Amino acid sequence: MQVQGKHYRTIWLKPGDPEVVQIIDQRPLPHRFVVEDIDSTEAMARAIKEMHLRGAGLIGAAAGYGMYLAALEAPKTSLEAFLQYLEEAGERLKKTRPTAVNLEWAVARQLSAIRERATSPAQGVKVALAEAEAIADEDAEFCRKIGEHGVRLIEEIYEKKGDTVHVLTHCNAGWLAFVDYGTATAPIYEAQKRGIPVHVWVDETRPRNQGARLTAWELLEQGVPHTVIADNTGGHLMQHGMVDLVITGADRVTRNGDVANKIGTYLKALAAADNGVPFYVALPSSTIDWTIHDGLREIPIEERGEEEVKYIQGLLDGEVRRVLLTPPASPAANYAFDVTPARLVSGLITERGIAEASEEGLLALYPERRQA
Ligand code: MRU
């Protein structure tokens, strides 16, 4: 997508230095645009864990490139030693964030590509690079297709009401969370391209404020009309007919359509159900965990440090600063995700089309996942 009119993806190989990966460091956004060099598996693991980058699809792409950096670092004395190093590097990467399944999916995809196609360590490096680029390209392409499928929902509403379509979104499931386009935002960008008037209610998304800081910045850069709202506002807007459609992203979706996403998503789904507002979740198939059924019992929910809750980051006198919000001695809890049961989800927008949020709905789009 565009930043000051220039096209960027969120992750790429450094021009002129293919042994270095570059990312957009999301921590100082929206106030500073910083590109960071990542030159080792350790640096990539830190970037994922400390959230220089974040978002399910981007975490997957970063793990793909992290495995390429591991292949560069790995001993080249024998294929066995090379593979052993990669397996250990994969374990280190997988430990960084627990909820988004894209991370383990990308590590597993890299390991099986390298095991299948590499006959020497030197060739293993080439395979790892090709696979990292394939994962990133596929993520961008799947998001673009999610836009094409999801725009139908916006079009239908526009055809009925003949006026601006108001979409509410939570957290950041925009292009910063993927390689390009985003998931929840892709239908919005597609609607804008097709000339459909659309306006986005952007949940600020406490505690880290990914909506206020990242989604708002993205939409502003693309010229999409939007309004940032405090998280507690959505229910009121829905009661007054001011939201036509909710679209969120997902960090992990179970085989039967339960959705783990940023904390607070469940409350929006409840409010949407109570007010008859359609509630859709947009995701690439790399976010589906086909091995589990029950989101509430089986999806690991990340618990993060209390600083995110106790402090707020913003711009003060031209500097990006953190300020303390709570009494210093008050303890805080920081559950990063919640699970929205499939029964509250109107549909899942994927790269293959829109599925009902159920095992049968998903299998109709992904029949190869049907077990014998
Ligand atoms: O805590 P974060 O920023 O890592 O949260 C993850 C997310 O990006 C959101 O839950 C998002 O809506 C999922 S779509 C990538």
Side-chain angles (χ1 to χ4, degrees):
M1 301 299 290
Q2 305 291 315
V3 180
Q4 300 291 303
K6 183 174 168 202
H7 178 260
Y8 277 90
R9 279 184 166 192
T10 51
I11 192 163
W12 63 92
L13 274 193
K14 185 171 184 171
D17 191 353
E19 300 200 351
V20 174
V21 176
Q22 292 190 304
I23 61 165
I24 298 170
D25 182 354
Q26 300 187 20
R27 292 169 304 166
L29 283 172
H31 306 298
R32 303 265 180 277
F33 182 76
V34 176
V35 170
E36 182 182 353
D37 284 1
I38 306 279
D39 60 2
S40 65
T41 325
E42 200 199 322
M44 187 62 91
R46 199 177 327 114
I48 299 172
K49 187 165 183 53
E50 295 175 5
M51 299 180 67
H52 307 200
L53 58 85
R54 41 145 298 287
L58 179 55
I59 289 175
Y65 279 108
M67 292 298 282
Y68 160 60
L69 294 171
L72 289 171
E73 290 158 11
K76 308 290 185 293
T77 43
S78 70
L79 188 57
E80 202 187 12
F82 177 78
L83 289 174
Q84 165 90 20
Y85 185 92
L86 283 180
E87 269 158 33
E88 286 162 11
E91 288 308 311
R92 285 204 300 281
L93 286 165
K94 284 198 290 187
K95 281 200 186 97
T96 54
R97 303 276 317 261
T99 303
V101 73
N102 305 58
L103 178 52
E104 49 194 87
W105 168 85
V107 168
R109 179 166 159 172
Q110 272 284 25
L111 285 174
S112 64
I114 296 164
R115 274 194 217 106
E116 271 167 33
R117 308 207 306 260
T119 49
S120 68
Q123 205 194 357
V125 172
K126 287 190 188 142
V127 173
L129 176 57
E131 201 63 20
E133 302 209 300
I135 290 170
D137 288 348
E138 188 182 286
D139 182 83
E141 178 57 10
F142 282 8
C143 286
R144 194 187 63 74
K145 287 189 172 149
I146 284 168
E148 285 182 353
H149 295 298
V151 76
R152 289 203 329 255
L153 301 168
I154 299 177
E155 256 165 1
E156 277 164 23
I157 294 168
Y158 180 59
E159 276 159 22
K160 267 194 211 132
K161 77 183 269 201
D163 201 355
T164 302
V165 179
H166 298 279
V167 181
L168 184 141
T169 191
H170 190 69
C171 194
N172 173 259
W175 73 276
L176 287 171
F178 291 85
V179 174
D180 213 344
Y181 306 103
T183 51
T185 49
I188 294 164
Y189 294 136
E190 188 58 32
Q192 181 195 38
K193 214 164 93 188
R194 296 184 188 192
I196 301 170
V198 62
H199 163 263
V200 186
W201 296 110
V202 179
D203 274 359
E204 60 174 345
T205 318
R206 276 285 285 151
R208 204 180 175 86
N209 292 317
Q210 291 93 329
R213 292 176 40 228
L214 305 177
T215 308
W217 178 77
E218 276 191 23
L219 295 172
L220 196 66
E221 289 289 332
Q222 315 311 314
V224 175
H226 63 281
T227 308
V228 179
I229 49 174
D231 288 328
N232 299 327
T233 312
H236 167 80
L237 296 177
M238 291 184 212
Q239 285 175 320
H240 289 82
M242 294 162 81
V243 180
D244 296 303
L245 172 69
V246 179
I247 312 180
T248 74
D251 295 277
R252 191 183 297 229
V253 171
T254 63
R255 192 175 179 90
N256 64 319
D258 291 345
V259 172
N261 192 48
K262 177 52 55 192
I263 193 80
T265 303
Y266 170 55
L267 292 178
K268 291 298 135 72
L270 284 175
D274 194 44
N275 291 283
V277 174
F279 181 95
Y280 282 84
V281 177
L283 61 135
S285 50
S286 50
T287 297
I288 306 170
D289 184 344
W290 296 99
T291 67
I292 59 174
H293 285 82
D294 183 337
L296 269 182
R297 281 197 304 119
E298 295 177 279
I299 297 178
I301 298 294
E302 179 178 16
E303 287 180 48
R304 294 216 284 256
E306 59 176 23
E307 326 74 53
E308 266 183 6
V309 178
K310 295 184 69 166
Y311 289 81
I312 287 223
Q313 176 179 302
L315 194 69
L316 185 68
D317 299 330
E319 297 284 325
V320 178
R321 290 263 194 46
R322 282 188 346 154
V323 294
L324 181 63
L325 182 68
T326 61
S330 288
N334 190 2
Y335 297 92
F337 303 92
D338 61 23
V339 173
T340 300
R343 68 186 153 76
L344 296 174
V345 178
S346 310
L348 300 167
I349 312 170
T350 74
E351 75 275 2
R352 292 199 191 168
I354 302 180
E356 186 187 274
S358 66
E359 181 163 7
E360 273 315 304
L362 279 170
L363 289 176
L365 288 185
Y366 298 91
E368 70 275 21
R369 295 290 179 169
R370 207 175 276 280
Q371 284 145 353

